[in-house]
Structures are given as C-alpha cells and as structure tokens.
Amino acid sequence: MFAKTKPLRKNFDPSLRKINRNATIVYSEAQPAQLNLASEHRMALYEVLLIGSPSAVQTEALTTQLEDVAKIFSLEMPRDIAIRNAADVTSRNPKAATVALYFGGDPNADAKIVDQLEAAKVPIVPVVEKGASVTDVVPAEIAHTNACLLEANDATLEALASVTLEALGLLHRQRRIFISYRRSDAREAALQLHDELSSRGFDVFLDTHDIRPAVSFQEMLWHRLSDCDVTVMLDTKDYFGSKWTAEELGRSQALGIQILRVVWPDHSGSRHLSLSDTVTLSNSDLDAGKKLQPELLSTIARRAEALRSRSIATRHLDLVGRLKSEVTRIGGRFEGIGAYRSVSLTLPRGRSLEAYPMVGVPTAEMLNDIQAKAGKAGHGRFPCLVYNHIGIRPAWLEHLQWLDAQISSVRTLKVSDAGWELVGWDQ
C-alpha cells in the first residue's frame, strides 16, 4: 500500500503541454481549473478529504490545526499532508494514508464520492454538530459509522483534528491522561476531572481508581505514566509535600509528556517548571466543597485535548533522533521517514529494516498492526517496533521478550539498546 510512489507522469491529462522536471507542473491554458495537483515532484504521504457540507470557517480552522501539528512532526503542507475538497478528490495519492471527513448538512451532497471512497476502502468520518440527527444530515451509507460530534461553539476543531490525525496513523488511537494531585488538597476536583475526561473518550489514570489490589503501586504508577499523552497537574499549595507527586511531575518531564498545570487560587504556582500550558483558578472557580465549577471542566478538557498531538509528536521525534544516532554509530544508514512515520534503515552489512517508532507501552496488537502495514507496503524490509522501555513494568518487558521469541516476522527493539542489538540482527 505504501510502496514508493511512481512518477506522476502516468496521471497527467493528455492536454498538458509539458512537464518541467524541476518539480513545477505547467498546465495547458484550457485546463487550469480541472487539475489541481500539488506543485511538488512527489505526492503527499497523507491525504485529508473534506466532503459533504464543510463551511469555509471549518475548513480554515482544521487547516490551521493540521499545519500546527505538521510543523511539530517536521512535515510540510501540502507536500506531506494534503487537504482536498470534493472538486479535487480525484487528484489524491491512492497509495497514501487517507481519511475523508463528511461534514453533515445535505445528505445527498457528494453521494457519488462517498460511493467511490467506500469502494476504495477509505475511512469516512461523519462530522456532525451535537444534537443533530446523524441519519438526517449524512448519506445512509455512512449514517451508522462512528461520528465526530462537534460542540456548537467549537471554533478551533481541535477534537476533529485529533480524530483526523489518528485515522492517518499519526496519533495514538488510545487517548490517555494521567492526573497528578494531592489527595488532601484536590481529591474532589480530581474525581470530577476523571469523570469529565472519561466521558470525552479519554482513558484517565487516577490512583484511587486504576491500581488493583495486590499490584505493586509504584510499579504500576510508572507503567501507566509512561503510556499517557498528557499529565494534568493539580498544582495546590502542598503539591510538592508528597514525594509521589514530585516524582510524577519530574518523570513526566523526563519522558517528554506534556503537562497541563491547573494552579489553585491564592497560589503562585510551582517554580522552575517548563510546562506546556497553564490554567489559573480564581476563588470563584471552586465551590465550598472544593469542587470545580462545571464550565471549568470543559475548559480543562479542551486544553488537554490540544496538548495531545504536541506530546506524542515530541516523544516520537525523540525516539527517531535516538534511533538515528544508534544506527549511524554502528555504521548503518538512516534512509528517511515514510508513511505512518516509519523509518527506513540499512545496517552496515546491507540488511534493510523498516522501524516503526511507537510512543508508550508496546502491545501484541501493535506488533500485529506493524506486520500488516509492512506486508501491504511490499517494501521487503524487515519490520520492527522501536520503543522507550523506561517506566514499563518488568513483567511487561518479559512479555515482549516472549513475543519476540515466538514471532519471527516482526520484532520489538528498545531504542536505548538499538545499536547493540542491531549489530546482532545484521546477519
């Protein structure tokens, strides 16, 4: 599916007069509106199709969100991520990771395009305002597909951007958040946030809810932290009065996890912290029972959503950078980054690998997914899952070793041991 893109020439309309091989496409004067191909010599790695009834405001907001994430991932638009409308769908790269967003309105709009995309097995996400009947505003063929529900006043489309990036394989499908707090100061607020974030589709870790009896508290705490996208820090006056909360914050920073700091009233906030975002509370934001006002819960949830892509991107880039350093140290070559952010490598003796850096805790499901992607790509390179083992439970690491011993078609690789291990693989 993601083999090297063939030259664009085969897709050109016969009316094109000439092709400038320095990557500029020169069109016949009679055809400028019919062919809206990118002016780059290669096609996009990721395609986003906006169909149905998207407004100009929605298109602009989503484009802004994706541009911000593209910069974090060192991708360029439209070279790497292309956004197309209904008139331009036929210009898409059929080999690229693609998602179509069907904006609800007239259920008959772009019906033929929906049929074509379904036949091509392109995922189509209905985008509908909360409160609207999905079956009334999208084609019947996709009416029962899981929809992305928009808040009526959502001007940023952050949640839709996250859904889009997940469908393209650029973000976790799991949405995990870690709440760090002092029970004596912020228990009620932590419980509120747990419920609010859970209702929005997050897998929320709260120590009072998510560690089973007889399981090592400390071991499971760090395991779950290493698998989270964002840490929500409830920064009360006595936050650093516990070694647990101090370590939760420090280890979040060590792992590159983005931190949303919620600063309690009459408290200036903790010093010497490099944090991603801050919500500062006033006395009116808390009631007499130390509970957060309902409208504030929504604000905190939206801010956490906005941090997810930044968190995953920075951790992914760290993995790629460390892997590149390990490979070049042993005399191998770092060939480049492709679809699904996989990394093509050549070891000193010529063995070719396709490495898939994965943020968080690896699973058997991830290994299966990587094996499937590599098989569809048909590139012939041996696939491996690269991860950071710091914080992961010893029992889980033993499980991954067992999987490696049982499965010969795909393997896991600790990024810290990459150079050492890859020398042994190069046979």
Side-chain angles (χ1 to χ4, degrees):
M1 183 177 180
F2 293 104
K4 287 186 177 179
T5 305
K6 294 182 180 180
L8 291 173
R9 190 183 191 96
K10 62 178 278 189
N11 296 324
F12 285 168
D13 188 278
S15 62
L16 294 179
R17 288 183 175 174
K18 63 180 180 178
I19 301 173
N20 179 338
R21 296 196 181 279
N22 290 324
T24 300
I25 299 174
V26 183
Y27 302 106
S28 160
E29 291 179 3
Q31 296 292 330
Q34 295 181 15
L35 293 174
N36 187 21
L37 298 176
S39 61
E40 300 288 336
H41 69 282
R42 60 173 236 185
M43 300 183 81
L45 291 174
Y46 302 95
E47 298 269 3
V48 181
L49 314 178
L50 308 185
I51 57 177
S53 307
S55 69
V57 172
Q58 289 172 324
T59 300
E60 182 179 359
L62 183 61
T63 300
T64 299
Q65 290 290 336
L66 296 182
E67 284 175 342
D68 289 343
V69 174
K71 291 175 184 175
I72 295 171
F73 273 109
S74 299
L75 298 173
E76 294 183 17
M77 294 178 63
R79 188 195 69 178
D80 299 309
I81 304 177
I83 299 179
R84 304 185 188 278
N85 57 27
D88 197 28
V89 164
T90 56
S91 298
R92 73 180 182 89
N93 176 9
K95 296 183 180 295
T98 304
V99 61
L101 306 178
Y102 190 100
F103 287 78
D106 177 2
N108 298 313
D110 298 329
K112 289 183 179 179
I113 293 177
V114 170
D115 291 340
Q116 292 167 0
L117 294 176
E118 284 213 308
K121 300 189 184 305
V122 172
I124 305 174
V125 180
V127 182
V128 179
E129 187 171 313
K130 278 187 177 179
S133 170
V134 176
T135 55
D136 290 341
V137 295
V138 305
E141 294 88 338
I142 61 171
H144 299 291
T145 303
N146 285 342
C148 179
L149 303 180
L150 301 181
E151 300 280 357
N153 59 350
D154 185 2
T156 64
L157 298 189
E158 289 170 350
L160 179 59
S162 290
V163 169
T164 303
L165 293 164
E166 288 165 357
L168 293 175
L170 289 171
L171 290 185
H172 278 319
R173 291 179 183 176
Q174 297 81 18
R175 294 149 51 80
R176 296 190 171 118
I177 283 186
F178 188 101
I179 299 178
S180 179
Y181 71 107
R182 286 298 309 275
R183 294 186 192 179
S184 57
D185 295 339
R187 175 182 170 82
E188 293 301 324
L191 291 171
Q192 283 182 284
L193 284 171
H194 178 278
D195 293 345
E196 175 70 19
L197 293 165
S198 296
S199 72
R200 292 171 178 258
F202 286 99
D203 178 2
V204 186
F205 178 84
L206 192 65
D207 58 358
T208 56
H209 284 52
D210 298 284
I211 297 182
R212 296 177 181 177
V215 174
S216 170
F217 178 87
Q218 185 175 10
E219 208 175 85
M220 183 56 72
L221 190 70
W222 306 138
H223 183 88
R224 290 298 302 269
L225 178 64
S226 67
D227 206 28
C228 283
D229 305 327
V230 176
T231 294
V232 177
M233 169 195 181
L234 304 187
D235 191 1
T236 54
K237 288 183 179 180
D238 197 34
Y239 178 85
F240 284 103
S242 163
K243 79 163 192 171
W244 292 112
T245 47
E247 288 188 22
E248 288 165 7
L249 182 67
R251 293 188 176 189
S252 294
Q253 293 176 303
L255 287 167
I257 296 171
Q258 300 290 304
I259 301 164
L260 177 60
R261 179 176 61 168
V262 182
V263 182
W264 249 236
D266 302 321
H267 174 44
S268 59
S270 305
R271 301 186 303 275
H272 309 305
L273 297 178
S274 176
L275 300 172
S276 302
D277 200 2
T278 301
V279 175
T280 302
L281 306 183
S282 64
N283 287 313
S284 61
D285 291 323
L286 293 169
D287 65 17
K290 296 185 178 180
K291 287 187 176 182
L292 296 167
Q293 298 295 345
E295 61 273 13
L296 194 62
L297 296 173
S298 179
T299 297
I300 293 171
R302 287 198 301 270
R303 299 281 274 274
E305 182 77 64
L307 290 178
R308 287 187 65 239
S309 58
R310 190 189 310 173
S311 181
I312 296 168
T314 54
R315 295 174 73 188
H316 186 279
L317 288 174
D318 177 66
L319 272 178
V320 172
R322 293 172 65 186
L323 177 62
K324 181 178 181 180
S325 177
E326 291 286 314
V327 170
T328 55
R329 182 181 293 125
I330 62 172
R333 295 197 308 274
F334 184 94
E335 307 289 1
I337 301 176
Y340 290 104
R341 304 295 286 165
S342 62
V343 178
S344 300
L345 306 171
T346 303
L347 300 183
R349 298 181 62 183
R351 189 177 190 189
S352 297
L353 305 178
E354 194 73 8
Y356 292 79
M358 291 289 174
V359 173
V361 177
T363 64
E365 182 182 7
M366 289 180 183
L367 283 171
N368 182 66
D369 185 51
I370 286 172
Q371 183 180 12
K373 286 184 173 73
K376 290 178 181 178
H379 46 56
R381 293 185 287 273
F382 182 78
C384 61
L385 183 158
V386 180
Y387 69 103
N388 181 2
H389 74 285
I390 301 299
I392 298 177
R393 296 180 66 201
W396 198 271
L397 295 175
E398 290 176 7
H399 170 65
L400 295 175
Q401 290 177 344
W402 181 84
L403 288 173
D404 285 337
Q406 303 301 314
I407 305 171
S408 60
S409 55
V410 63
R411 292 189 66 179
T412 64
L413 179 65
K414 296 177 184 176
V415 71
S416 59
D417 299 343
W420 181 271
E421 293 293 332
L422 289 176
V423 170
W425 292 16
D426 195 18
Q427 304 298 327

